[in-house]
Amino acid sequence: QVELVESGGGLVQPGRSLRLSCAASRRIFNNAVHMAWYRQAPGKERELVARVSSGSTPNYADSVNGRFIFSRDNAKNTMYLQMNSLKPEDTAVYYCQAGVKPNIEGYFEVWGQGTLVTVSS
C-alpha cells in the first residue's frame, strides 16, 4: 500500500520555480509527528531539505533556506515543497517522508517513491 505519492517533478530552467506535492493517506497525515522533504543528487547521499514537526515551524537546509518553502493542506492531506530560484545544483530526486505515531507505543516512517527534478538550461 502506497501511502505517500509525490508529483510535480520535471525539467526546469535555472532561476525558475517548481512545486512538488506529496499526497498522503488520511491515516498518515493525521498521525504524522513530523514531515520532511529529502533529496538525493546523482552520486551523492540523500540529504534533508526541509523538516517540520507537529506544532513547529519548518527547518531548512542552508542550501535552500530562503528559496524553498514547506507547506501543507490539511483538507487535502497533502504537503508541498515550493522551490524558487532553482539552481543546477538543486537537481536531484526528491522524496517526501513522514514519521508516524498511530498510538502511544507505535512509530514508523514512510517514504514517497521520489520525483526527479532537473534544473538545466
Side-chain angles (χ1 to χ4, degrees):
Q1 180 181 1
V2 179
E3 301 200 78
L4 293 178
V5 180
E6 297 152 3
S7 60
L11 174 63
V12 62
Q13 293 180 332
R16 304 298 292 268
S17 298
L18 203 62
R19 189 178 77 162
L20 305 181
S21 300
C22 177
S25 67
R26 181 168 297 181
R27 179 178 80 105
I28 295 298
F29 210 81
N30 289 345
N31 292 289
V33 293
H34 77 257
M35 296 180 179
W37 288 93
Y38 286 77
R39 67 184 181 186
Q40 186 166 19
K44 296 187 177 181
E45 294 186 354
R46 189 173 298 187
E47 64 173 353
L48 179 65
V49 175
R51 187 180 189 274
V52 59
S53 299
S54 297
S56 299
T57 56
N59 291 308
Y60 299 95
D62 289 343
S63 58
V64 307
N65 196 24
R67 298 188 297 122
F68 289 13
I69 302 171
F70 179 101
S71 65
R72 57 186 286 175
D73 185 332
N74 293 337
K76 296 181 178 179
N77 297 331
T78 301
M79 58 178 156
Y80 303 97
L81 185 67
Q82 177 68 41
M83 305 184 294
N84 302 317
S85 303
L86 282 161
K87 305 175 181 180
E89 51 264 43
D90 294 319
T91 295
V93 177
Y94 284 72
Y95 300 88
C96 57
Q97 186 254 10
V100 184
K101 194 171 180 62
N103 51 54
I104 294 177
E105 296 180 348
Y107 175 81
F108 62 93
E109 296 185 345
V110 291
W111 290 82
Q113 80 284 3
T115 185
L116 177 62
V117 173
T118 303
V119 184
S120 175
S121 55

